[in-house]
Amino acid sequence: MATETRPQRFATAAIHAGAAPDPATGARAQPIYFTNGFVFESTEQAADIFAMRRTGFSYSRGSNPTVAALERRVAALEGAASAVAVSSGQSALLLILMTLMKSGDAYVVSPRLFGGSLGLINRLDGRYDMKAQFAKGLDPADFEAAITPRTKAIVCESIVNPCATVMDIAGIAEVARRHKLPLIVDNTLASPALIRPIEHGADIVMHSTSKFLGGSGQTIGGVICDAGRFDWAAQPDRYNLVAEPWEDYDGLVVTERFPDFSFAVACRLFGLRELGPGLSPMNAFLTLTGIETLPLRMARHCANAKAVAGFLRDHPAVEWVSYPALPGQAGEALATRYVPEGPGSIFTFALKGGEAAAKRFIMSLKLISHLVNIGEIKSLAIHPATTTHRQLLPHEKAAALVGPETVRLSIGLENAEDLIADIEQALAQAE
């Protein structure tokens, strides 16, 4: 009697999905394939792989067995049909936008995004006329109000960097469906351990794997996940790289040959074969290893962040804290709905003493590192107004909760008591 195979639960998939013991050696850890090329069995096989008539490895810029294992694992954790790993989160956003759009096209964007994303968006607008239509607020109605006939996509984050606001992904996805637009969600701050945007209606999910997925601050990387359900073929002239013939690939129509993950294939053809930001197999291996402990780490990240945020909220030197897991905070209802385990470990707070106090606080920290990354096992602090979000205008910084008096914290896995003690002594010196 045949037994039904049950899908793996999240913690199991974080350890096993996408990889298996090496059939040649029996090695249990994923091998690192440090090679830039792969020997073909025949000239026919080589021609077929390059023409996309057959799958296989040819050159590591486009695909590599170690990188492919990472792609399979992240796709499994996000519930995606396929994934494409790239050299950074910034590359992931660039490839998504350039695969979807050409000069003259537009897309609706959340008014609160990571500073690096905002910088890229503004540069693409100025140099390539790919127009960002910023929603006036974070509600689904604000996104809908920004849509015009030129709009090709909607972009938001699941949890906003750095103020920890949780977005109404399902509400925005409903707007996207009504207007036949793909919804792109940057899930870096949540990771699939906290939010799986595809379950709430997202069509494309991206990550900077340099953050929680890797976890240890060792590598740079990014990944693009294709939910596999957007109907690209219904609008071939709007999404021509996905749904119209590629003449240089013998008239290949991606939606016809790869109907289950068309966007991922288009990203690989255009993004990796032509633009070229491939991921190193060593970085893929380190990220795979990091993902194995992702659910354990995220639980500790959230618990520590809530403890630290609660301490800061009650401190007399602190003006406000933006962390929606705290009772009475703005966005508490959305956080309860989407992230019952906690809204991650990145948040901002403001010091009553203004910019000078914020900078003194950062420079007085001993255990917490003054470092621009986030999502590491070590706790980190930065002054976003002069670093990650420095390009914003003053009123934009205030709206994003990154004014001159603001500090961003990325809370790690240390003992919460030690983190609070370090913060307490730094606040005393900042007053």
Side-chain angles (χ1 to χ4, degrees):
M1 181 176 176
T3 57
E4 184 179 346
T5 301
R6 295 177 57 182
Q8 293 177 343
R9 292 174 174 83
F10 190 87
T12 304
I15 296 169
H16 292 282
D22 180 49
T25 65
R28 191 62 189 86
Q30 170 63 43
I32 306 169
Y33 289 90
F34 259 134
T35 180
N36 53 19
F38 301 85
V39 174
F40 299 115
E41 297 172 1
S42 65
T43 56
E44 290 79 8
Q45 183 207 27
D48 285 346
I49 289 174
F50 269 80
M52 299 298 290
R53 292 188 295 266
R54 187 190 305 191
T55 59
F57 300 107
S58 60
Y59 192 64
S60 278
R61 184 182 72 233
S63 189
N64 172 286
T66 312
V67 177
L70 173 63
E71 293 169 340
R72 292 191 296 268
R73 181 165 298 173
V74 177
L77 295 181
E78 285 288 7
S82 185
V84 179
V86 294
S87 59
S88 67
Q90 196 82 335
S91 293
L93 179 59
L94 175 66
L95 265 57
I96 290 169
L97 295 178
M98 296 195 75
T99 302
L100 286 175
M101 291 178 289
K102 56 184 182 298
S103 295
D105 290 336
Y107 55 108
V108 172
V109 185
S110 170
R112 293 189 189 176
L113 284 179
F114 165 57
S117 299
L118 290 171
L120 172 61
I121 284 167
N122 290 332
R123 197 73 66 192
L124 290 175
D125 185 357
R127 290 184 65 85
Y128 303 107
D129 191 29
M130 295 166 61
K131 185 69 65 179
Q133 303 164 314
F134 286 96
K136 289 185 178 180
L138 302 182
D139 292 334
D142 296 314
F143 285 81
E144 188 156 32
I147 294 171
T148 71
R150 294 175 60 192
T151 305
K152 301 282 283 292
I154 297 176
V155 180
C156 69
E157 296 175 344
S158 55
I159 299 176
V160 178
N161 182 357
C163 62
T165 300
V166 179
M167 298 294 289
D168 184 1
I169 302 170
I172 300 169
E174 179 56 36
V175 170
R177 279 194 298 274
R178 246 190 331 266
H179 293 269
K180 298 180 180 179
L181 300 170
L183 173 60
I184 303 154
V185 178
D186 183 340
N187 201 31
T188 298
L189 263 66
S191 89
L194 299 181
I195 300 177
R196 286 171 286 284
I198 290 171
E199 294 178 357
H200 301 289
D203 300 291
I204 300 165
V205 175
M206 61 160 281
H207 288 271
S208 168
T209 63
S210 321
K211 280 65 176 179
F212 291 108
L213 292 182
S216 294
Q218 298 169 318
T219 67
I220 301 292
V223 68
I224 301 163
C225 298
D226 179 1
R229 62 185 177 211
F230 188 81
D231 190 359
W232 307 101
Q235 306 175 75
D237 56 329
R238 285 176 61 78
Y239 305 105
N240 62 309
L241 284 183
V242 189
E244 287 192 338
W246 289 58
E247 298 305 328
D248 49 343
Y249 282 86
D250 302 324
L252 167 71
V253 178
V254 174
T255 51
E256 294 177 1
R257 191 169 300 171
F258 304 96
D260 296 330
F261 42 90
S262 306
F263 185 76
V265 172
C267 272
R268 192 176 301 280
L269 285 175
F270 176 58
L272 292 184
R273 284 198 178 183
E274 296 179 2
L275 296 180
L279 180 67
S280 158
M282 174 58 83
N283 285 9
F285 171 81
L286 292 171
T287 305
L288 275 166
T289 303
I291 290 173
E292 292 177 355
T293 59
L294 177 65
L296 296 173
R297 287 187 287 109
M298 293 308 293
R300 178 66 173 256
H301 277 301
C302 290
N304 277 359
K306 187 174 183 179
V308 171
F311 168 80
L312 286 166
R313 178 196 55 190
D314 298 333
H315 197 282
V318 175
E319 184 71 34
W320 52 258
V321 175
S322 179
Y323 190 67
L326 299 178
Q329 285 266 304
E332 181 185 3
L334 282 175
T336 301
R337 173 184 172 187
Y338 284 102
V339 282
E341 297 178 40
S345 68
I346 317 302
F347 65 90
T348 50
F349 72 96
L351 285 149
K352 292 178 179 177
E355 181 173 5
K359 291 182 175 179
R360 281 198 302 273
F361 168 80
I362 290 172
M363 296 311 298
S364 299
L365 292 167
K366 300 184 188 323
L367 179 64
I368 299 173
S369 298
H370 182 198
L371 199 154
V372 76
N373 197 30
I374 55 175
E376 296 187 15
I377 59 176
K378 302 176 182 68
S379 293
L380 314 170
I382 200 71
H383 187 246
T386 54
T387 57
T388 58
H389 290 68
R390 64 179 301 277
Q391 76 273 28
L392 300 185
L393 298 173
H395 72 277
E396 294 172 329
K397 291 178 181 177
L401 301 181
V402 289
E405 72 286 353
T406 304
V407 174
R408 181 186 76 184
L409 291 178
S410 173
I411 301 300
L413 307 185
E414 304 92 342
N415 286 102
E417 296 82 357
D418 293 330
L419 294 173
I420 289 171
D422 189 35
I423 289 169
E424 187 172 28
Q425 65 82 24
L427 286 170
Q429 296 186 62
E431 293 182 275

